[in-house]
Structures are given as C-alpha cells and as structure tokens.
Amino acid sequence: MLNKFKRNIISSKSNIIFLSITSFLFLFLFGLFFRLSFSSIVAASIFFLLFNLILLYLVGGQRNKELDSIKDVISRIRTHSVNFDNEISLGSELEELEIEIKAMFLRSQNDIQNLKKLEQIRTEFLGNVSHELRTPIFAIQGYIETLLDGALDDRLVNRTFLQKANQHTINLNNLLNDLIDISMIESGEMKMSFRYFNVSEFFDSVLNEFKPQAVKKNIELQLLPFNHSLQLFGDKQRLKQAISNLLMNALKYTESGSIKIGVYEEENGAVIFVMDSGIGISKNDLERIFERFYRVDKERSRDLGGTGLGLAIVKHIVEAHGSIIEVKSEIGKGSKFSFRLKK
Ligand SMILES: Nc1ncnc2c1ncn2[C@@H]1O[C@H](COP(=O)(O)OP(=O)(O)OP(=O)(O)O)[C@@H](O)[C@H]1O
Ligand SMILES: [Mg+2]
C-alpha cells in the first residue's frame, strides 16, 4: 500500500511542484486579503496539502495504469507475442496512441516479411548460380580427365572432346557475363547513356549478326517495313543486348518458319517487337519466364547453352527505359515480345 502510494505520488511529481507553489501563493494572498491569523493560514495550508496529495495519488494512479498498459503492449510486441494488430488495445483514453502503435506494428511486420523474402531470394539465387556453374565445370573436368587418361591419342574422339570442352567454357563465360550484367543492373552500377538513335541503322547492325544463324537453321529472318528516318530515345548498346537476347531466343525456340522484327509508331513513341513462329509458351510459364534462371524446358535450354538469365536481363534493360516488356504467345504457334520507347 505504502509502495503504491509512493509510486503514484512519484509518477505525478512534476505536478506536485506546480500545485504546491500555486497553492502556497493562493493561500498567502488569500490570508493577506482577508487578514487571517497565522494559525488559520497554517491550518488551511495543511488542509490543502492533504487535499493535493489525495488528488495527486489518484492522478498518478491513472497515469501508472496507462503507462503499464503501454509497457505491456510494447513488451508483447518485442517478444513476438502479438500476431495481429487487433490484439493491441490501450482503451478509449489512449485511442490515438493505440492507432500509432498498431501502424508501427504493421509496418515492422511488413519489413520483416520483406527481409525474409529477400533472404529466400538470395539463398535461391546462390543455389542456382552454384548449380549452373557446376554443370559446365564438371563437364570440362570430365573431358580433360578422359583425354589425359588416353583419349588424347585417340584420333577419333580427341578433337570432339576438346570441342565439347571448349563449348562449355564458352557457356561458362556467357553465364558469368550475364551474372555480372544482372548484378550491375540490380545494384544500379550499370551506367546507361540515353540518346536519340536511328532505328534503321540499329536494326541493320543487330540483324547482320543473326543472319548467319538464321540461314544455318533455314529460318527466314525478316525486318518489316517502317519509316527509315525514325529516331528513338534510349541506350543503343543496352537495347542491342535486349533485342539480341530476344532474337537468340526466337532462333533457339523456332524449328521452322520465320522470325519477324519491326517497329510501329505511336503518338509519343514506338513499339519494337520480335515475333517468331516457334514452339510458343504456355500461359502458366508466361508468368515466370522473366524470373532469373527460369526455363520452361531445363534440359532443352541447357543443351542449347542457356541458363535462363536472358529474359531477366531484357526485363531490366526495358524497365531502365521506363517501359515494360510484354509477351503474347500460344503453344505451337509462336511468341511475340514487345516494348515501347520514347520518340
Ligand atoms: N521465343 C521463345 N519461344 C519459346 N520459348 C521461349 C522464347 N523465349 C523464351 N522462351 C522460354 O523462356 C525461358 C527463359 O528464357 P531466357 O532467355 O531467360 O533463358 P534461356 O534462353 O533458357 O537461357 P539464356 O537466355 O540465359 O541463354 C526459356 O528457357 C524458354 O523456355
Ligand atoms: Mg535466352
């Protein structure tokens, strides 16, 4: 009881000083004004003092109750005993504080979830990278060991084994370049240089690189007619990388038919597209093809030297141009990838 009294009074100690001074001044002036005797002023002072103490005891008690409930809520949040915001309650007098604490709780819950998601993405990414690195390294190791074990002198296989090992080193190099690109884009380190460029010249230089592969696969590679003086705004070098990735896919995933590339103008910009008559992509896969390392047919893609990073890079480059990459596709009929650029 005595402790509770002390605690309540201490809780309201800032009010004690104020009340004591004002009471004393009031009594002093009151006594002077009514010419009261010294003993009546002392009696009145004692009465006021007791009255103040009782008042402060009650005020302090209420304050302690409120502080205890706030302390309790904070400690429950800190020890993760609160799962939902409606478990937080401070009563009607502290309604505004309750709303603030609830908002803070929801915010920190959201931050924790985001951190967990990031951690999971990081772990998955590391797992994927090590897996993708292991495949070509094991293959190269296997060919070299076989050659050292005697195949080097076997004229029938030695060249083929070296060629295969060489192809795996090329794949390894491509993978590393893609990984460097992805990490530079995601960390914001990749410097973009936006300028107006001539679309006709741009398409010519990209297509020239792919013509031999198209001829080899007997696929028609066609540039659809457009306004040859058209200028668009973007980073030409990065856009070349994006279009090359799209063309590389079109060539990889088309067995026969054609690949069409073109541009159509709109009021403030233009849409660039790459269209193929290849195997197409199912609706479920369409939602995931832009994820890092995602491949519809892992075996087929890996055989073709793919790691599933190509479209993730395209997406990043297009988004760095303030645009979005769109895709329409139907199984067995082909795919069309497109994005807008500013004029
Ligand atoms: N034009 C296309 N036609 C059919 N499927 C496609 C096409 N483009 C992409 N895909 C599918 O989307 C997946 C992801 O493509 P992405 O370019 O990211 O990876 P990849 O081509 O497998 O490997 P990488 O580009 O890293 O060499 C591919 O594995 C393929 O299954
Ligand atoms: Mg690709």
Side-chain angles (χ1 to χ4, degrees), residues 9-254:
I9 294 292
I10 287 169
S11 288
S12 52
K13 68 171 180 259
S14 55
N15 302 346
I16 288 184
I17 299 167
F18 174 73
L19 272 175
S20 303
I21 293 172
T22 43
S23 310
F24 181 75
L25 274 176
F26 174 75
L27 279 173
F28 186 70
L29 292 173
F30 189 81
L32 274 183
F33 190 77
F34 290 102
R35 297 198 183 155
L36 294 179
S37 65
F38 179 72
S39 55
S40 14
I41 291 179
V42 171
S45 300
I46 292 171
F47 171 75
F48 263 91
L49 189 73
L50 285 175
F51 180 73
N52 280 348
L53 279 178
I54 293 168
L55 208 68
L56 290 171
Y57 170 78
L58 295 174
V59 171
Q62 178 62 22
R63 196 173 160 216
N64 276 337
K65 228 163 80 187
E66 289 170 356
L67 285 176
D68 284 346
S69 66
I70 297 169
K71 236 191 299 180
D72 174 59
V73 162
I74 292 175
S75 113
R76 279 195 299 129
I77 292 176
R78 187 173 50 80
T79 53
H80 303 289
S81 318
V82 178
N83 295 318
F84 302 101
D85 64 336
N86 57 14
E87 291 170 29
I88 297 170
S89 168
L90 289 177
S92 55
E93 275 125 56
L94 296 172
E95 201 182 331
E96 281 180 21
L97 184 63
E98 183 185 307
I99 292 171
E100 284 301 319
I101 293 182
K102 277 182 179 172
M104 193 182 74
F105 168 76
L106 288 175
R107 174 75 195 265
S108 67
Q109 253 200 346
N110 203 17
D111 287 350
I112 292 169
Q113 267 167 6
N114 282 344
L115 280 176
K116 278 188 187 158
K117 229 185 273 169
L118 276 177
E119 179 59 27
Q120 192 194 345
I121 291 172
R122 199 181 69 95
T123 318
E124 270 176 27
F125 183 69
L126 276 178
N128 278 324
V129 170
S130 15
H131 179 75
E132 294 304 329
L133 285 174
R134 205 182 294 134
T135 314
I137 289 173
F138 274 6
I140 294 166
Q141 211 177 12
Y143 287 122
I144 291 176
E145 273 171 13
T146 320
L147 285 164
L148 287 175
D149 285 347
L152 193 61
D153 302 317
D154 185 343
R155 292 172 129 246
L156 285 176
V157 291
N158 57 7
R159 257 194 104 71
T160 331
F161 284 3
L162 278 173
Q163 270 160 354
K164 287 197 170 160
N166 188 38
Q167 184 55 50
H168 281 290
T169 64
I170 294 170
N171 294 349
L172 202 55
N173 194 34
N174 290 341
L175 168 64
L176 288 177
N177 285 336
D178 282 353
L179 283 173
I180 291 168
D181 279 349
I182 289 242
S183 79
M184 278 181 58
I185 297 172
E186 288 185 356
S187 65
E189 270 175 66
M190 185 175 277
K191 300 263 175 302
M192 306 281 288
S193 110
F194 295 100
R195 286 203 178 91
Y196 278 100
F197 63 92
N198 180 277
V199 181
S200 176
E201 286 167 16
F202 170 73
F203 277 157
D204 283 345
S205 84
V206 184
L207 286 182
N208 276 338
E209 286 178 24
F210 286 90
K211 264 183 199 148
Q213 291 177 55
V215 171
K216 208 163 138 194
K217 267 194 102 170
N218 207 12
I219 289 171
E220 186 192 0
L221 184 56
Q222 201 185 348
L223 178 61
L224 298 180
F226 65 98
N227 167 12
H228 280 237
S229 60
L230 177 65
Q231 303 260 346
L232 288 177
F233 190 68
D235 182 323
K236 205 165 129 181
Q237 202 190 334
R238 291 291 153 207
L239 287 171
K240 187 170 176 182
Q241 186 181 7
I243 298 281
S244 300
N245 281 357
L246 293 177
L247 277 172
M248 218 135 54
N249 284 349
L251 276 163
K252 268 203 266 187
Y253 306 109
T254 305

Side-chain angles (χ1 to χ4, degrees), residues 286-292 311-312 315 325-327 337:
L286 274 182
E287 288 167 17
R288 304 203 52 192
I289 51 170
F290 295 102
E291 288 172 23
R292 296 181 297 202
L311 286 180
K315 184 170 183 267
I325 176 92
E326 288 178 83
V327 54
F337 289 83

Side-chain angles (χ1 to χ4, degrees), residues 178 245-246 248-254 276 278-281 289-291 293-297 301-302 304-312 329 334-335 337:
D178 282 353
N245 281 357
L246 293 177
M248 218 135 54
N249 284 349
L251 276 163
K252 268 203 266 187
Y253 306 109
T254 305
D276 64 60
I279 59 172
I281 305 159
I289 51 170
F290 295 102
E291 288 172 23
F293 295 108
Y294 188 80
R295 287 160 292 190
V296 176
D297 181 346
S301 165
R302 196 173 288 136
L304 297 169
T307 46
L309 290 174
L311 286 180
S329 187
S335 315
F337 289 83

